[in-house]
């Protein structure tokens, strides 16, 4: 006969998760975003979500957000993400508030950020920019911008931004350039266009005008 005293069982540790009054849902405990994100985007594409939103909202008061366009000169970064996601929040909230709220994405295809990238390519190949015909140089800039528009478009879609991606606007579109010329002529015809003088900083190295922000 064993006369050894029986050890009391160790008290069971309390599961404090049982004390929380949480809703019971079918949502998985882990978000699994790397797997879920492509599934969501694929589903939106299959639903043709943007077109259906426009159909549902037809006849409502309009709320149109035209994009302050990014430069089409490289992969997107965190600044692009912040900009696009905030605009997406505005557009979606206005849609929910009862507007026909559409987002028209766009790209800035002119200026130094794009020209500089082409010049970098020239330097890498030992090519002199001054020896290149100006029309050819502009043609290369246009092709460069068009390529990065396509790249950035897919990257912006990966952020979950819903917009009219099939019909964006670009500053290098010929109708857009023609409209700029018309607006300048309208200023000229109404005597609002004048000629004056203003100092412009010039980079002797880059051989281009510098913005005041760059000088500061």
């Amino acid at each position: 006969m064993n006369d050894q005293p029986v050890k009391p069982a160790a008290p069971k540790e309390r599961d404090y998760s049982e004390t929380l009054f949480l809703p019971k849902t079918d949502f998985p405990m882990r978000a699994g975003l790397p797997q879920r994100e492509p599934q969501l985007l694929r589903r939106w594409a299959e639903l043709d979500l943007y077109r259906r939103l426009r159909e549902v909202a037809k006849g409502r008061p309009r709320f149109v957000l035209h994009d302050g366009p990014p430069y089409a000169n490289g992969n997107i970064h965190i600044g692009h993400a912040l900009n696009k996601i905030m605009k997406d929040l505005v557009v979606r909230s206005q849609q929910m508030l009862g507007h026909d709220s559409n987002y028209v994405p766009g790209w800035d295809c002119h200026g130094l950020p794009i020209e500089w990238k082409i010049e970098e390519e020239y330097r890498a190949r030992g090519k002199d920019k001054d020896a290149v015909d100006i029309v050819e140089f502009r043609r290369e800039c246009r092709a460069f911008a068009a390529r990065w528009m396509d790249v950035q478009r897919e990257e912006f879609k990966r952020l979950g931004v819903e917009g009219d991606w099939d019909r964006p606007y670009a500053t290098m579109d010929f109708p857009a350039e023609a409209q700029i010329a018309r607006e300048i002529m309208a200023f000229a015809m109404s005597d609002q266009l004048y000629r004056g003088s203003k100092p412009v900083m010039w980079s002797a190295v880059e051989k281009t005008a510098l913005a005041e922000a760059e000088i500061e």
Side-chain angles (χ1 to χ4, degrees):
M1 194 169 173
N2 188 357
D3 294 331
Q4 292 294 327
V6 178
K7 256 187 182 180
K12 182 184 175 184
E13 288 190 16
R14 186 166 189 181
D15 183 359
Y16 284 96
S17 68
E18 297 174 354
T19 68
L20 300 175
F21 296 100
L22 297 175
K24 304 296 182 184
T25 73
D26 294 329
F27 297 136
M29 288 298 291
R30 293 183 180 276
L33 190 59
Q35 292 77 37
R36 289 284 293 158
E37 177 207 319
Q39 294 171 5
L40 284 171
L41 297 178
R42 193 180 309 114
R43 181 168 179 269
W44 293 350
E46 290 169 355
L47 288 172
D48 198 3
L49 181 60
Y50 185 78
R51 180 187 60 79
R52 291 176 66 175
L53 285 171
R54 301 283 63 74
E55 289 178 354
V56 168
K58 192 175 289 184
R60 295 179 183 175
R62 298 293 299 278
F63 181 90
V64 181
L65 178 60
H66 280 281
D67 202 0
Y71 277 113
N73 70 329
N75 295 102
I76 67 171
H77 50 67
I78 192 65
H80 290 111
L82 176 64
N83 180 290
K84 283 290 183 292
I85 292 169
M86 288 178 67
K87 288 174 180 175
D88 192 51
L89 287 170
V90 172
V91 173
R92 289 176 188 260
S93 62
Q94 288 297 323
Q95 179 82 13
M96 293 176 186
L97 288 169
H99 290 92
D100 180 2
S101 179
N102 67 312
Y103 170 55
V104 182
W107 278 273
D108 189 341
C109 308
H110 293 93
L112 184 59
I114 291 170
E115 294 175 10
W116 186 250
K117 290 288 187 179
I118 297 299
E119 290 182 38
E120 282 183 341
E121 292 179 5
Y122 285 174
R123 285 191 291 275
R125 302 198 306 262
K127 194 173 180 180
D128 182 8
K129 176 198 170 186
D130 295 332
V132 179
D133 179 72
I134 187 63
V135 175
E136 176 59 30
F137 178 69
R138 289 175 180 167
R139 189 180 294 118
E140 289 191 51
C141 289
R142 180 176 285 272
F144 178 88
R147 178 168 65 84
W148 280 108
M149 276 179 60
D150 288 338
V151 172
Q152 289 188 1
R153 185 196 333 253
E154 296 308 310
E155 292 175 335
F156 288 139
K157 285 181 181 180
R158 289 296 303 273
L159 298 177
V161 176
E162 197 60 49
D164 200 353
W165 294 110
D166 294 330
R167 295 184 301 170
Y169 75 89
T171 59
M172 69 177 180
D173 289 342
F174 292 128
E177 293 182 331
Q179 185 61 37
I180 292 170
R182 280 192 288 269
E183 292 298 327
I184 292 175
M185 182 57 70
F187 277 109
M189 296 299 288
S190 59
D191 294 327
Q192 297 182 69
L193 190 64
Y194 66 93
R195 184 172 184 175
S197 297
K198 179 183 177 182
V200 176
M201 300 299 177
W202 180 264
S203 170
V205 176
E206 298 171 5
K207 298 181 181 177
T208 185
L210 296 173
E212 291 182 7
E214 292 175 296
I215 300 300
E216 292 171 3

